[in-house]
Amino acid sequence: MSDQTSQQAHDEPHGGGLGTRLNWLRAAVLGANDGVVSTAGLVVGVAGATDARGTLLTAGLAGLLAGSMSMAAGEYVSVSTQRDSEKAALAVERRELREQPQAELDELTQLLAERGLSRDVAREAAEQLTERDALRAHARVELGIDPDELTNPWHAAGVSFLAFTAGALLPLLAIVLPPSSVRLYVTVLSVLAALALTGWWSARLGAAKPGPAVLRNTAGGALAMAVTYAAGTLLGAAGV
Ligand SMILES: [Zn+2]
């Protein structure tokens, strides 16, 4: 790789086991959070306009399916694109290793030295890594990716679909199962509790303070429900 591109690669976040698992967890929590908020907003809005359980069920289920498929499709596209660019970078690396192995060895030595190894140790390490699996070493040190662990777009899409669906089921069941006199209370309370939980969890995953995240997340959900309920009530009262 040229100096310029290796510098860019150097700035990229590192791949690897723990980071990858955390990314999956974070994506799942965010997907579930999305499912809770958007479906809660939807069913509370419709509940502002009508008491009919069948209508609430239809609206909530349509929202659940539309949202989960939209999430999955978006995730599929974005991960596919990322995977394509990772594969292209690996192909370039493979060619450079074949055509200019000495320059690549120097480059790996330089990258290891930048990470704090002395010149001699970096050289020794670079030689050993090159002997064992040169492409893998360059992929990890230079590109920050593991050639054996490229994210599968179908896997990413599946996780998003399931996470959103799990989140969306909560407000959907909370609005259709209880008697009509209490369904709004049950829905609002269970949604706020769930959002407190996902806010707390995502803060913990990001090693941030949970308090502000819980507050922001529940406030966001409460606002979404208040706005759609007001809109639904107005439309219901107008007989639309
Ligand atoms: Zn290289």
Side-chain angles (χ1 to χ4, degrees):
M1 274 207 159
S2 69
D3 278 0
Q4 194 194 358
T5 45
S6 74
Q7 187 55 48
Q8 283 167 358
H10 193 72
D11 293 333
E12 283 167 8
H14 303 177
L18 183 62
T20 309
R21 263 198 302 286
L22 276 179
N23 283 340
W24 281 116
L25 263 180
R26 196 168 298 147
V29 173
L30 288 177
N33 196 75
D34 225 5
V36 172
V37 174
S38 64
T39 309
L42 183 63
V43 295
V44 166
V46 176
T50 178
D51 266 343
R53 181 169 273 131
T55 307
L56 288 166
L57 180 60
T58 307
L61 201 58
L64 180 156
L65 290 171
S68 58
M69 286 192 288
S70 149
M71 281 281 287
E75 195 66 11
Y76 180 84
V77 168
S78 101
V79 171
S80 294
T81 305
Q82 187 195 338
R83 193 176 155 112
D84 285 349
S85 59
E86 287 174 345
K87 279 184 172 168
L90 285 172
V92 169
E93 203 59 41
R94 199 175 285 121
R95 199 188 63 227
E96 286 175 347
L97 281 166
R98 198 174 52 233
E99 291 174 356
Q100 35 180 326
Q102 192 55 44
E104 286 296 303
L105 181 63
D106 291 343
E107 179 197 53
L108 188 56
T109 305
Q110 176 64 26
L111 288 170
L112 291 170
E114 280 169 14
R115 295 193 172 186
L117 298 182
S118 77
R119 201 73 211 171
D120 290 347
V121 174
R123 190 69 185 182
E124 177 70 25
E127 280 170 356
Q128 283 191 22
L129 287 169
T130 301
E131 213 168 294
R132 196 172 301 160
D133 188 343
L135 180 64
R136 193 189 179 84
H138 281 259
R140 297 200 79 150
V141 176
E142 194 182 325
L143 308 172
I145 57 182
D146 186 334
D148 299 329
E149 281 186 17
L150 298 189
T151 308
N152 183 329
W154 287 106
H155 191 171
V159 168
S160 300
F161 183 89
L162 290 178
F164 187 99
T165 300
L169 276 175
L170 177 84
L172 177 58
L173 295 176
I175 205 86
V176 295
L177 291 183
S180 64
S181 56
V182 294
R183 65 165 54 121
L184 270 174
Y185 301 109
V186 172
T187 303
V188 169
L189 288 179
S190 57
V191 162
L192 292 180
L195 292 181
L197 195 68
T198 52
W200 178 84
W201 202 7
S202 63
R204 288 299 303 269
L205 288 175
K209 267 197 275 180
V214 166
L215 204 62
R216 277 194 291 265
N217 210 33
T218 49
L223 182 67
M225 289 187 287
V227 168
T228 60
Y229 185 68
T233 307
L234 284 174
L235 287 175
V240 176

